Amino acid sequence: MNLDRIYMDNAATTAVSPIVLEKMLPYFTEIYGNASSIHGTGREARKALEDARRRVAAVLNCKPNELYFTSGGSESDNWAIKGIAFANRKRGNHIITSSIEHHAVLHTCQWLEKQGFTVTYLPVDEFGRVSVKDVEAAITDQTILISVMAANNEIGTLQPIREIAKVAKQHKVYFHTDAVQAIGAIPIDVQEIGCDMLSLSGHKFHGPKGVGALYIRQGTRIDPFMHGGAQERGKRATTENIPGIIGLATAIELATENLEEKSARISSMRDQLIDQLTALPYVRLNGHRTERLPNNVNISVRFVEGEALLLRLDLAGIAASSGSACTSGSLDPSHVLLAIGLPHEIAHGSLRLSLSDTTKQEDIDYVLSVLPGIIDDLRAMSPLYHDFMEANK
Amino acid sequence: MYSEKVMDHFSNPRNVGEIPDADGVGTVGNAKCGDIMRMYLKVDENGVITDVKFKTFGCGAAIATSSMATEMVKGKTLKEALKLTNAAVAEALDGLPPVKMHCSLLAEEAVKAAVEDYMKKHPEAVID
Ligand SMILES: Cc1ncc(COP(=O)(O)O)c(C=O)c1O
Ligand code: FES
């Protein structure tokens, strides 16, 4: 790997921190026991598992027995939504979510519709915010669950989850939030938020991939997800991934330590990117200017296609991401960009740069030194730009 | 996911630009993902394409296929140019990922549209 590469795709995944890796390693070869075994090797693993659970619970401000380890953010979202849906079917069959959720939530809801549930997909405003009034208005006597993400993975918009939690509570409806992008970026305290369930994923905050967690408030009526052994208090079978869980616990502690200071530093770099890039002609910011993840930049560059931008950035050693139709496989632009009302051709030129606490000022300077030239090059070969300039002569 | 040839034509596209006094111009759009390609042709009295330029709003494959298509029709007769297929363009680029084959179709259609435009402007010309 070229060490000079600048990685600005931390919303997709992050590097495992060296400290996290070091803490994980003994659990592959030395403390490798099955946490369900009676013998000493098993008891050691059990102790490590429960210790990790206590540490993660302390970060989220919940009880250790309200925390369940899973295989990642997608599983946590699937479990929360399907688990509530099937366990509460007698009470009602209606679920409320937003139109800009991650596919782990949206596709789960779409599948539940095929199983006879009804789902309301709330619209968002031009900045990607869900309205609390809309949430309240959508509640019926059949509503059993509201699921709205804490922060959007594409455009970084923060949702009013505390207010939504309040409304849910008043109407005695469960509230789940996907906080996969929010952990390590903004303070997350489940008591202060007031949610009943919260999803997180290790690899988004310098922990390992393939491990996540679901917070489930005590007393929540939810079905088990994986049937089998009695692991995770009978709710999620499979021999626990102790190295991964140790990694997640270590990473979440590191990520939330000095959070205010770190996010101030990262958001100042984010703002340099936003201010200087949106000062270029025909470049707009996607998402909310202030109610935004500290590490997220998402712009649309008119007259330019996102995949071409990504490839040119990659050739310059910069890793980024786009919601363009050409990068999607399905050849549809991102559902999030369409939901905030962007026309196809503007969604086409979207570019996401996502920072982390390993991002350096030099990285920002370098991106700002090469990106405008790349935009000029691509516009010079764009028939749309040509026509636009002719028409506006 | 792209071959070295695609990346070469993407990063150093041949014949980018426009021909202000072009004899034929064709613009085509991709219904699938919304991309646009435009070809400009300069044609001599013998029906030979003496110059060709393109402008493309699209992905890496769209830019690379435009570039390759211009190279493949330059110096050819209009009749030969009309025989250009998207499969031939893709093959000349050492292949394209399956989801990107539709981008090469755009290149074939852009060449055809430019030739058709030439024919419209030059009703006396015959392609035999
Ligand atoms: C908001 C959000 N939810 C869920 C997920 C899925 O997480 P995982 O990759 O751990 O399954 C992601 C990651 O892409 C995400 O950004
Ligand atoms: S031009 Fe859109 S995928 Fe190639």
Side-chain angles (χ1 to χ4, degrees):
Chain A
M1 194 184 117
N2 182 349
L3 289 176
D4 289 324
R5 291 187 62 84
I6 293 177
Y7 186 75
M8 291 226 180
D9 202 11
N10 289 281
T13 195
T14 59
V16 172
S17 116
I19 302 170
V20 169
L21 179 63
E22 192 192 324
K23 295 282 184 197
M24 288 171 68
L25 288 176
Y27 293 91
F28 287 101
T29 50
E30 291 162 39
I31 312 164
Y32 54 81
N34 183 325
S36 304
S37 303
I38 301 286
H39 46 64
T41 320
R43 288 199 306 273
E44 265 182 334
R46 162 72 52 193
K47 188 172 164 300
L49 169 66
E50 295 314 329
D51 180 53
R53 196 187 310 280
R54 265 192 297 279
R55 286 156 57 201
V56 178
V59 169
L60 299 177
N61 192 22
C62 67
K63 297 189 197 104
N65 67 3
E66 294 178 311
L67 196 74
Y68 298 83
F69 291 112
T70 66
S71 66
S74 299
E75 183 190 325
S76 297
D77 288 344
N78 269 262
W79 182 7
I81 296 167
K82 293 178 193 168
I84 291 292
F86 288 107
N88 297 276
R89 205 168 196 170
K90 288 210 180 79
R91 260 184 58 202
N93 72 343
H94 181 228
I95 296 165
I96 298 169
T97 188
S98 86
S99 50
I100 64 163
E101 297 297 309
H102 190 270
H103 284 146
V105 168
L106 285 182
H107 291 171
T108 300
C109 288
Q110 284 159 11
W111 179 80
L112 282 174
E113 285 184 280
K114 289 193 198 136
Q115 314 303 314
F117 290 88
T118 315
V119 182
T120 301
Y121 302 92
L122 295 173
V124 292
D125 67 13
E126 61 183 305
F127 306 111
R129 294 263 288 180
V130 171
S131 130
V132 182
K133 275 208 192 93
D134 286 352
V135 174
E136 187 153 28
I139 297 174
T140 71
D141 60 355
Q142 287 293 306
T143 309
I144 48 178
L145 173 69
I146 298 168
S147 179
V148 174
M149 70 203 316
N152 183 265
N153 46 304
E154 288 187 42
I155 57 174
T157 302
L158 308 181
Q159 299 298 348
I161 50 174
R162 289 157 188 83
E163 293 77 1
I164 297 173
K166 234 176 250 149
V167 167
K169 198 169 190 174
Q170 280 161 12
H171 293 266
K172 298 197 168 57
V173 173
Y174 288 124
F175 176 53
H176 163 252
T177 188
D178 173 340
V180 168
Q181 292 287 339
I183 300 279
I186 54 172
I188 292 290
D189 173 327
V190 294
Q191 307 308 333
E192 185 253 333
I193 294 169
C195 55
D196 300 299
M197 283 158 292
L198 179 140
S199 301
L200 60 93
S201 174
H203 72 102
K204 305 288 186 180
F205 46 83
H206 302 288
K209 296 172 185 51
V211 60
L214 179 64
Y215 156 74
I216 306 176
R217 184 182 295 281
Q218 210 162 33
T220 301
R221 185 203 292 257
I222 184 165
D223 276 357
F225 192 61
M226 196 88 86
H227 300 272
Q231 291 93 352
E232 298 298 280
R233 300 174 300 292
K235 285 214 157 44
R236 200 248 178 198
T238 195
T239 302
E240 299 87 346
N241 168 12
I242 311 270
I245 290 167
I246 297 293
L248 183 147
T250 311
I252 201 170
E253 284 179 339
L254 289 172
T256 51
E257 188 177 274
N258 305 321
L259 186 57
E260 215 167 297
E261 192 186 307
K262 263 192 303 216
S263 69
R265 195 181 71 84
I266 297 171
S267 44
S268 108
M269 292 192 286
R270 171 200 71 185
D271 292 343
Q272 290 174 43
L273 286 174
I274 291 178
D275 292 343
Q276 297 195 40
L277 293 174
T278 55
L280 300 170
Y282 315 114
V283 175
R284 57 159 276 158
L285 178 70
N286 295 322
H288 201 285
R289 185 63 188 84
T290 52
E291 293 299 308
R292 177 178 204 99
L293 284 172
N295 67 338
N296 175 289
V297 176
N298 190 311
I299 55 170
S300 273
V301 181
R302 271 184 82 182
F303 318 115
V304 166
E305 188 284 314
E307 191 207 81
L309 259 181
L310 292 190
L311 289 171
R312 285 292 303 265
L313 282 170
D314 190 41
L315 290 168
I318 301 164
S321 154
S322 169
S324 158
C326 300
T327 59
S328 76
S330 69
L331 299 177
D332 288 320
S334 122
H335 66 285
V336 177
L337 299 178
L338 295 182
I340 61 172
L342 292 194
H344 271 56
E345 71 268 22
I346 295 180
H348 235 69
S350 82
L351 176 71
R352 180 186 71 185
L353 299 164
S354 45
L355 321 184
S356 89
D357 51 344
T358 58
T359 305
K360 296 189 286 293
Q361 180 62 42
E362 297 96 270
D363 302 342
I364 304 294
D365 297 343
Y366 178 66
V367 170
L368 287 170
S369 75
V370 300
L371 186 49
I374 291 176
I375 293 173
D376 286 346
D377 275 4
L378 291 172
R379 281 183 177 163
M381 66 169 89
S382 167
L384 290 179
Y385 187 63
H386 175 267
D387 294 353
F388 180 83
M389 294 315 269
E390 289 288 310
N392 289 278
K393 246 181 192 162
Chain B
M1 77 177 209
Y2 287 135
S3 71
E4 265 174 47
K5 268 235 180 92
V6 172
M7 286 311 291
D8 174 38
H9 276 263
F10 168 72
S11 35
N12 305 294
R14 332 290 200 255
N15 307 310
V16 185
E18 59 206 271
I19 304 178
D21 58 340
D23 299 315
V25 182
T27 303
V28 293
N30 194 327
K32 239 179 168 162
C33 57
D35 300 301
I36 293 170
M37 201 179 280
R38 180 173 299 159
M39 291 269 175
Y40 302 84
L41 301 179
K42 201 80 193 140
V43 181
D44 72 8
E45 63 279 9
N46 302 318
V48 173
I49 297 169
T50 54
D51 197 12
V52 45
K53 293 250 189 293
F54 81 88
K55 286 209 165 184
T56 290
F57 166 75
C59 71
I63 291 171
T65 51
S66 315
S67 163
M68 180 53 91
T70 59
E71 285 214 312
M72 290 171 84
V73 299
K74 203 169 182 171
K76 299 278 162 59
T77 63
L78 292 171
K79 191 179 169 188
E80 286 166 328
L82 281 175
K83 286 193 193 133
L84 183 78
T85 64
N86 76 311
V89 178
E91 200 186 310
L93 286 166
D94 292 342
L96 286 171
V99 291
K100 296 290 184 180
M101 277 309 283
H102 71 273
C103 318
S104 62
L105 200 58
L106 211 54
E108 176 190 319
E109 287 168 355
V111 169
K112 293 213 162 103
V115 173
E116 271 161 31
D117 182 56
Y118 173 84
M119 298 300 293
K120 228 183 272 161
K121 288 177 180 156
H122 301 81
E124 75 288 356
V126 273
I127 297 185
D128 55 356

